[in-house]
Amino acid sequence: MTQPLSRALPGEHVHITTDPWTEPFWQAAKERRLVAAQCSDCQTFRMPPTPFCPHCQSQKIQWPQLSGKGTVYSFAVCNRSPFPGVEDFVYIPVVVELDGAPGIRLVSNLIDIDPAYVSIGMAVTVDWNPITEGWQQPVFRAA
Amino acid sequence: MTWEHCDKTAIVGVGATPYYVRGQSWPRTINEMIGEAIIGACTDAGLKVQDIDGFAYYGGAKAGYLDTMDTASIMEMLGIPEVNFTATLTGGGGGSAGAIGLASAAIIAGEANYVVTVMALQQRNQRLGTVFGALKPDPENSFLQPSGLVGPGHLMSVLARRHMHLYGTRREAFAEVAISSRNNALNRPEAIRRTPLTLEEYFASPMLADPLCRLDFCLETDGAVAVITTSSERAKDLRQKPVLVRAASHGGRREWGRAFAGMGMSDEYFASSGHKSVADKLYAKAGMKPDDIDVALIYDHFTPMVIMQLEDYGFCAKGEGGPFVESGAIRFGTGSLPVNPHGGQLSEAYIIGMTHIREAVEQLRGTAINQVAGAETALVTGGPASLPVSGLILRSSQ
């Protein structure tokens, strides 16, 4: 029996806010570029982007663009709408390890896939879900 | 080296409201329930409410996520003349057991004599099960909330999946935690769920965040529980047999950190309860080892987290928690380590960890409904959550 394919969350219900340290991530996302915060001094990545490098306490930061490829670290399968008044649908919250950014993970959704085919370790690639106020949410699909 | 303050403080009173299904405590107000629990704890101890001179909260003194507990309001309501200590552990439900350590610290330091720890919960407007989805976005949770992980159970399902992947843990193990807890609640008049649970019913339960089904989630209930801690010297003059604070510990490692609120834990910590460092410190302070624990009150917001705590507290090896519970080890009456003989948060009631402290006290007084024969030591844990997490070892006074 095949299940319905997983979907992205309906963008009109997804809200984010930014601060000066997280804004570059979301501004790049608006251009459909996946970037990550990296310490310019010791090269340690951090997620979410915070004001200090937790390894060397430097505040120098750079935003390398990533390939958008990654690996499923863990996931859940949900089949109830997370939003009141929205009809139930299948969605897959996923924790992704990102190629080119060792040591950090992105919490996202895996879309357009039968949940039976999702497994830890599978390769995924980034896509984009338009959300409120013109932002774009990084989501993933099977690579 | 064993902590120099072992057994110098004691829990001397426990009070509680009835437990209500989510939202049904209204029109009682949350302060009314707090007051009833505190008055009950004083009566139990043989103290007057006016004797209270300290408050030691946890979870930032929030009552659940939406209400707050305020010492000044409680003093005004109950006529408490003066407080000398009022403080809280930070974080959330992870600090429940550790709040008794905070109370003990105040007493050992000579700051206060009779310290209340209380938690109250009323889910009238927003259920806790989907509370994160209802929060306003902030810059930090904007990296989590858009995934649709709307509640604590959804977040922890991701950890459970990883544990299954690494160690072959089966849903049958989660079921055993639920069924064992339910069995313990069957004869308890105050328990919310008192009908037997079968493995078939467990597997028929709807999946809420696969691999977790509804029966892996704890109850959503209303109510309040308060306990009073004092010095072991003062305790001798009170009504109840004192229950000694052997040791308490709270905190945790950055590798666990914000835990499932960020999913950035180290690989070693991800499929765990985050308690390992606190557990090791607790046993060292107490001068005890896992074999010395007679009854374990393990914070059971979600069934897999019980299994991961049993590993972190050394009752079985890392990754062996599934087979350990499936062997029947945690059953009351027959298992080698009775876990949550009160039915826990899965079947009795969920007051953010306080029912576990209450049950530990009753076990060590020898008055529990499901009494573990000869119980002299009890372990109580706080909830696996963003730091701090915490643990507490209580000891019978004779």
Side-chain angles (χ1 to χ4, degrees):
Chain A
M1 194 179 75
T2 56
Q3 298 189 50
L5 300 186
S6 64
R7 287 167 39 187
L9 268 52
E12 67 271 24
H13 291 278
V14 179
H15 302 270
I16 62 132
T17 60
T18 67
D19 67 22
W21 290 94
T22 67
E23 175 101 14
F25 176 91
W26 294 106
Q27 289 296 350
K30 224 174 219 181
E31 301 164 4
R32 301 195 160 207
R33 294 186 301 113
L34 183 65
V35 301
Q38 183 180 28
C39 174
S40 305
D41 282 333
C42 77
Q43 320 304 316
T44 301
F45 284 94
R46 59 192 192 263
M47 176 68 74
T50 48
F52 296 90
C53 171
H55 182 69
C56 75
Q57 291 73 50
S58 168
Q59 291 200 275
K60 292 181 190 155
I61 194 166
Q62 60 198 30
W63 296 90
Q65 183 167 339
L66 307 178
S67 69
K69 296 191 186 310
T71 308
V72 172
Y73 187 76
S74 194
F75 65 98
V77 179
C78 303
N79 54 22
R80 313 260 166 136
S81 168
F83 307 111
V86 174
E87 196 175 330
D88 285 343
F89 62 96
V90 176
Y91 66 99
I92 301 178
V94 66
V95 179
V96 177
E97 296 196 312
L98 302 169
D99 288 5
I104 63 167
R105 305 190 187 106
L106 193 59
V107 185
S108 179
N109 292 120
L110 189 59
I111 65 167
D112 286 339
I113 188 167
D114 180 336
Y117 292 105
V118 182
S119 61
I120 289 175
M122 73 182 284
V124 294
T125 188
V126 75
D127 199 350
W128 300 94
N129 182 35
I131 58 173
T132 53
E133 296 176 34
W135 298 109
Q136 297 272 343
Q137 173 196 14
V139 294
F140 288 83
R141 54 177 71 244
Chain B
M1 203 178 88
T2 305
W3 189 40
E4 63 180 299
H5 298 298
C6 283
D7 305 334
K8 287 191 180 167
T9 57
I11 297 178
V12 292
V14 181
T17 65
Y19 303 136
Y20 303 87
V21 170
R22 161 170 63 88
Q24 293 187 3
S25 59
W26 187 259
R28 307 195 70 196
T29 65
I30 196 151
N31 273 349
E32 177 185 354
M33 292 197 289
I34 289 169
E36 178 178 324
I38 293 173
I39 291 169
C42 289
T43 305
D44 181 55
L47 289 166
K48 299 191 299 292
V49 167
Q50 291 85 349
D51 294 325
I52 293 167
D53 65 348
F55 287 82
Y57 305 97
Y58 58 97
K62 292 187 292 293
Y65 291 91
L66 300 165
D67 293 300
T68 56
M69 296 182 288
D70 181 70
T71 294
S73 296
I74 295 170
M75 291 173 74
E76 180 177 322
M77 170 174 69
L78 293 180
I80 295 169
E82 184 172 10
V83 293
N84 298 303
F85 184 87
T86 175
T88 180
L89 295 189
T90 54
S96 56
I100 304 304
L102 179 63
S104 296
I107 293 157
I108 291 163
E111 299 290 340
N113 293 333
Y114 299 102
V115 180
V116 167
T117 297
V118 59
M119 178 54 78
L121 186 55
Q122 185 171 55
Q123 300 171 78
R124 186 173 160 231
N125 298 318
Q126 169 63 44
R127 60 189 299 183
L128 289 189
T130 57
V131 69
F132 300 141
L135 294 177
K136 282 197 165 36
D138 65 39
E140 194 174 75
N141 74 22
S142 289
F143 287 88
L144 181 73
Q145 210 165 280
S147 66
L149 291 167
V150 290
H154 295 71
L155 294 168
M156 281 175 260
S157 72
V158 177
L159 278 59
R161 169 92 57 193
R162 186 82 190 159
H163 199 274
M164 297 168 93
H165 170 77
L166 289 174
Y167 307 115
T169 311
R170 313 190 311 161
R171 286 190 66 209
E172 282 80 354
F174 306 160
E176 167 59 19
V177 174
I179 291 168
S180 169
S181 302
R182 183 64 61 83
N183 285 345
N184 297 344
L186 298 179
N187 62 343
R188 300 179 67 83
E190 291 191 16
I192 301 293
R193 287 192 182 147
R194 281 176 290 160
T195 52
L197 175 63
T198 66
L199 196 60
E200 293 67 36
E201 286 171 277
Y202 174 87
F203 278 102
S205 171
M207 300 301 279
L208 296 186
D210 187 336
L212 301 189
C213 67
R214 181 179 288 151
L215 290 168
D216 293 309
F217 282 53
C218 75
L219 297 163
E220 294 172 303
T221 46
D222 293 359
V225 178
V227 302
I228 297 172
T229 307
T230 189
S231 69
S232 298
E233 277 306 304
R234 284 193 183 81
K236 288 176 186 165
D237 301 326
L238 298 178
R239 181 173 292 157
Q240 304 289 350
K241 176 179 155 182
V243 171
L244 304 175
V245 177
R246 182 69 185 173
S249 178
H250 78 263
R253 299 276 312 169
R254 187 173 81 84
E255 290 86 341
W256 178 254
R258 289 193 301 120
F260 36 81
M263 300 289 180
M265 305 83 105
S266 73
D267 201 37
E268 185 191 8
Y269 265 81
F270 193 93
S272 87
S273 72
H275 277 253
K276 180 71 167 70
S277 64
V278 162
D280 291 347
K281 189 171 61 164
L282 180 66
Y283 285 128
K285 282 176 80 172
M288 290 181 175
K289 52 191 189 308
D291 275 355
D292 296 320
I293 302 299
D294 296 323
V295 54
L297 291 310
I298 305 290
Y299 197 105
D300 54 335
H301 41 12
F302 303 97
T303 57
M305 305 317 292
V306 172
I307 290 168
M308 296 184 218
Q309 286 175 86
L310 292 170
E311 296 174 357
D312 285 343
Y313 278 88
F315 296 110
C316 58
K318 183 75 197 154
E320 295 294 318
F324 179 74
V325 300
E326 285 193 62
S327 76
I330 64 171
R331 293 262 176 153
F332 169 70
T334 54
S336 57
L337 178 76
V339 169
N340 298 348
H342 59 321
Q345 300 176 145
L346 290 163
S347 283
E348 190 199 37
Y350 170 69
I351 313 291
I352 316 186
M354 288 301 292
T355 62
H356 292 65
I357 298 173
R358 178 187 188 183
E359 174 68 7
V361 170
E362 291 179 3
Q363 287 287 342
L364 298 175
R365 286 178 179 173
T367 61
I369 292 176
N370 293 320
Q371 180 66 45
V372 173
E376 293 180 353
T377 57
L379 170 70
V380 185
T381 69
S386 295
L387 297 180
V389 294
S390 66
L392 169 69
I393 293 176
L394 298 173
R395 197 166 76 83
S396 160
S397 56
Q398 49 195 317

